[in-house]
């Protein structure tokens, strides 16, 4: 019998490459977490296929079926609780969450963002970094607080910005680091929660 693992709910909206990185990390018997739910707000999210292929419980809570943000967030919260998750990992989840929801998961909800926060909160991070002539870009995993992209930082990874970079090329270089950063952050949070 192994030691109890931290139970992770992963929330996605699309491609799901960070979800796949977490799925791969969980294959290591020594990884301290396991995925108990993959939830998407979009029925067509490609990441749902990765989750199904890994035999994980998947669920769509389509935001279009809810009259407002509060009722959508309540439904998501109920599903996370029902599946027994200890930690919520936002992995390309592109919905703004209400403070009421966020405050139910203090230091128990984390997010990955494709910039070196506090620089470039929000969208189009890579094109903004290029337009500003930055020499470095990267990604951040942070705790989620009600203010968007603003919670305490858990892990950051840096990459150089190179001559001739386009937003797409830079995004690819950063994404490679995201896939390393997210499992690393889950290990750190697990240590913190168990310590
Ligand atoms: C990732 O680059 C992630 O950092 C970003 O969306 C992408 C999702 O890719 N998240 C945000 O911009 C959140 N503000 P994925 O679905 O392949 O993991």
């Amino acid at each position: 019998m192994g030691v109890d693992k931290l139970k992770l709910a992963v929330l996605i909206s699309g491609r799901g490459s960070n979800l796949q990185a977490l799925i791969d990390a969980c294959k290591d018997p020594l990884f301290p977490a396991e995925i108990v739910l993959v939830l998407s707000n979009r029925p067509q999210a490609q990441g749902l296929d990765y989750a199904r292929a890994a035999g994980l419980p998947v669920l769509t809570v389509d935001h279009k079926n809810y009259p407002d943000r509060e009722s959508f967030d309540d439904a998501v919260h109920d599903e996370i609780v029902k599946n027994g998750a200890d930690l919520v990992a936002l992995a390309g989840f592109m919905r703004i969450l209400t403070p009421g929801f966020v405050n139910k998961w203090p230091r128990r909800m984390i997010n990955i963002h494709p910039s070196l926060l506090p620089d470039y909160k929000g969208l189009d991070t890579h094109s903004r970094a290029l337009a500003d002539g930055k020499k470095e870009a990267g990604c951040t995993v942070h705790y989620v607080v009600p203010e968007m992209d603003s919670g305490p930082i858990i892990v950051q990874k840096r990459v150089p910005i190179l001559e001739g970079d386009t937003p797409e090329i830079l995004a690819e270089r950063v994404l490679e680091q995201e896939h390393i950063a997210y499992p690393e952050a889950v290990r750190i949070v697990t240590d913190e929660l168990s310590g």
Side-chain angles (χ1 to χ4, degrees):
M1 274 270 294
V3 180
D4 270 0
K5 295 197 178 214
L6 190 86
K7 293 180 170 33
L8 205 57
V10 184
L11 272 50
I12 63 167
S13 295
R15 182 177 54 186
S17 71
N18 279 290
L19 163 67
Q20 184 62 57
L22 290 171
I23 291 172
D24 290 342
C26 289
K27 286 179 188 154
D28 176 352
L30 295 178
F31 193 68
E34 62 182 335
I35 299 171
V36 296
L37 174 67
V38 175
L39 186 152
S40 172
N41 66 308
R42 295 212 180 102
Q44 307 306 334
Q46 193 191 329
L48 288 171
D49 294 336
Y50 296 150
R52 285 190 197 103
L56 296 171
V58 301
L59 195 71
T60 297
V61 180
D62 189 339
H63 60 274
K64 292 191 185 128
N65 295 338
Y66 294 84
D68 50 34
R69 288 193 187 276
E70 283 74 17
S71 54
F72 169 74
D73 286 3
D74 284 349
V76 171
H77 177 76
D78 287 351
E79 292 299 341
I80 296 169
V81 171
K82 215 186 283 173
N83 284 273
D86 307 303
L87 181 71
V88 181
L90 308 180
F93 186 70
M94 304 308 270
R95 291 287 296 172
I96 291 173
L97 296 163
T98 57
F101 176 80
V102 172
N103 288 332
K104 286 178 183 151
W105 298 92
R107 283 186 100 81
R108 284 180 177 265
M109 181 155 49
I110 62 179
N111 178 46
I112 188 152
H113 184 75
S115 79
L116 295 170
L117 290 173
D119 289 347
Y120 308 115
K121 299 174 181 179
L123 299 174
D124 302 322
T125 54
H126 303 308
S127 42
R128 287 190 282 149
L130 289 172
D132 288 346
K134 294 279 184 186
K135 296 276 172 276
E136 236 183 5
C139 63
T140 305
V141 184
H142 64 94
Y143 288 104
V144 177
V145 297
E147 196 186 332
M148 193 184 65
D149 300 331
S150 296
I153 290 171
I154 305 160
V155 171
Q156 251 175 354
K157 300 276 178 203
R158 295 170 180 273
V159 301
I161 293 182
L162 305 175
E163 194 78 28
D165 271 356
T166 61
E168 293 73 27
I169 291 170
L170 180 56
E172 229 171 89
R173 192 176 304 128
V174 171
L175 192 64
E176 230 173 82
Q177 294 305 309
E178 293 187 38
H179 298 161
I180 298 167
Y182 221 166
E184 204 173 299
V186 170
R187 283 180 190 275
I188 292 170
V189 173
T190 307
D191 279 353
E192 190 186 290
L193 289 173
S194 63

